Amino acid sequence: MSTPDTVLQAATDQIARASEQKGLRPSIAGFFDEATYTVSYVVHDPETCEAAIIDSVLDYEAAAGRTSYGSADRIIEYVTSNNLKVIWLIETHAHADHISAAPYLQQKLGGKLAIGKEIIRVQDVFGKLFNAGTDFERDGSQFDHLFTDGETFKLGKIEGIALHVPGHTPADMAFIIGDAAFVGDTIFMPDFGTARADFPGGDARQLFQSIRRLLSLPDDTRLFLCHDYKAPGRDEYAWESTVGQQRRENVHVKDGVSEDDFVEMRTSRDATLAMPNLIMPSVQVNIRGGRLPEPEENGVSYIKIPVNAV
């Protein structure tokens, strides 16, 4: 059983190998969805064209309860035009701000749908909140693969390793592919800070420890973020930084910020934040691997909204 220190060392060694050998570095394309401020990624090995799609978005019109596929179709067009072979459809966590398009992409492109093993904890909490009943399995079986901390994988010749980084939710994972880390909602651009930690199962102290774990990677590690909200004074969206930049500049968690100070800041700040607009449909669907609840007898799927329960 790997310990956190040995996992981090393995990740550091992988990044060093990729930095020294161009063939071990992935090609990365980001797809920004301004409606949810989410960045999805297609990551591939240029030599073999094996690819992973990370944190895809299904378009959802909340007022009408209507789904569409414009964002996902942009990814499909990129994958097909570059002759890529999708191996993985990865979710960094069960998102609360957008619905995953992974099942649609899987139907069109193939690949295994994967998330962190601790999704079972999230399924348990939200299965109760949404009164999902005994038909809703709380064992992660809606996904093809559950990643564990330190687990390795490959895209062609490019090495990958999964890191468990809880705090935002219990199930958050970061995925290091070659010299690039896809960090989900743990951390944002340095001028915006860090993710909230007040969702069920979230923990500000855990989040600090997870972020500092990520920031123990080499300074030149490329970090690819799941969201950007344009901090005040910045006119352009951005979603790539480095470990070194975050350690120097992150307004919430740069070097010198103590764990206790971070927890105090994060807790007080989270108390002022409204719930994400799409939290009810997003979590309800994403704990099912991006699949809508089973249709009722009239053939229609329904999203539940618990009243006065959150």
Side-chain angles (χ1 to χ4, degrees):
M1 183 75 177
S2 296
T3 67
D5 287 343
T6 59
V7 170
L8 198 62
Q9 186 59 57
T12 298
D13 292 344
Q14 173 189 297
I15 292 165
R17 287 191 294 272
S19 297
E20 293 168 1
Q21 301 180 53
K22 185 178 179 181
L24 298 181
R25 297 198 293 271
S27 292
I28 300 165
F31 298 82
F32 185 67
D33 176 54
E34 192 166 352
T36 62
Y37 307 101
T38 302
V39 193
S40 306
Y41 296 98
V42 178
V43 188
H44 77 273
D45 173 8
E47 183 175 337
T48 67
C49 290
E50 290 192 358
I53 299 172
I54 300 176
D55 290 336
S56 61
V57 175
L58 179 71
D59 300 319
Y60 179 73
E61 185 184 349
R66 190 174 299 278
T67 62
S68 58
Y69 304 101
S71 296
D73 285 340
R74 289 169 57 207
I75 291 175
I76 292 173
E77 194 280 330
Y78 177 85
V79 168
T80 55
S81 65
N82 286 279
N83 297 311
L84 304 183
K85 179 182 179 182
V86 175
I87 304 299
W88 292 105
L89 299 147
I90 292 173
E91 302 292 333
T92 55
H93 63 295
H95 304 273
D97 41 37
H98 71 270
I99 295 174
S100 170
Y104 174 75
L105 292 170
Q106 187 176 46
Q107 180 185 21
K108 300 291 185 179
L109 300 171
K112 289 184 178 181
L113 175 55
I115 200 167
K117 184 178 180 180
E118 294 303 311
I119 186 62
I120 60 177
R121 292 180 55 193
V122 179
Q123 289 177 328
D124 185 55
V125 169
F126 283 99
K128 293 173 183 174
L129 176 65
F130 292 117
N131 197 30
T134 56
D135 289 341
F136 172 58
E137 299 292 343
R138 294 156 169 84
D139 58 2
S141 57
Q142 299 84 351
F143 300 85
D144 300 313
H145 186 78
L146 302 181
F147 277 105
T148 58
D149 187 48
E151 185 175 348
T152 59
F153 60 100
K154 280 195 170 185
L155 290 180
K157 294 183 178 180
I158 296 177
E159 299 171 300
I161 189 167
L163 269 67
H164 186 211
V165 286
H168 175 62
T169 79
D172 278 65
M173 301 290 288
F175 294 88
I176 302 173
I177 301 175
D179 65 336
F182 300 85
V183 299
D185 283 13
T186 53
I187 198 167
F188 301 137
M189 289 301 289
D191 57 359
F192 200 87
T194 57
R196 66 195 297 166
D198 61 332
F199 294 148
D203 185 295
R205 197 167 296 278
Q206 250 189 353
L207 180 60
F208 179 87
Q209 294 165 1
S210 292
I211 292 172
R212 295 311 305 185
R213 189 183 190 203
L214 285 169
L215 298 187
S216 297
L217 294 169
D219 276 2
D220 58 354
T221 305
R222 296 183 289 162
L223 302 182
F224 290 87
L225 319 177
C226 190
H227 296 286
D228 187 52
Y229 304 96
K230 282 199 301 192
R234 176 157 54 86
D235 295 328
E236 301 292 332
Y237 290 110
W239 47 82
E240 180 181 352
S241 66
T242 65
V243 165
Q245 183 187 20
Q246 295 283 0
R247 291 184 64 169
R248 292 188 303 270
E249 302 174 16
N250 189 283
V251 294
H252 292 168
V253 73
K254 63 186 175 184
D255 287 355
V257 175
S258 73
E259 183 173 322
D260 287 342
D261 286 344
F262 175 83
V263 170
E264 182 179 357
M265 177 282 300
R266 191 71 264 171
T267 302
S268 60
R269 181 179 174 86
D270 289 350
T272 70
L273 300 177
M275 286 289 103
N277 291 335
L278 297 183
I279 187 170
M280 293 303 175
S282 295
V283 175
Q284 200 166 160
V285 173
N286 291 338
I287 59 175
R288 293 177 163 86
R291 299 173 186 86
L292 295 172
E294 287 296 317
E296 298 190 8
E297 64 274 6
N298 61 356
V300 177
S301 293
Y302 288 87
I303 299 291
K304 290 182 177 180
I305 299 180
V307 178
N308 298 325
V310 177

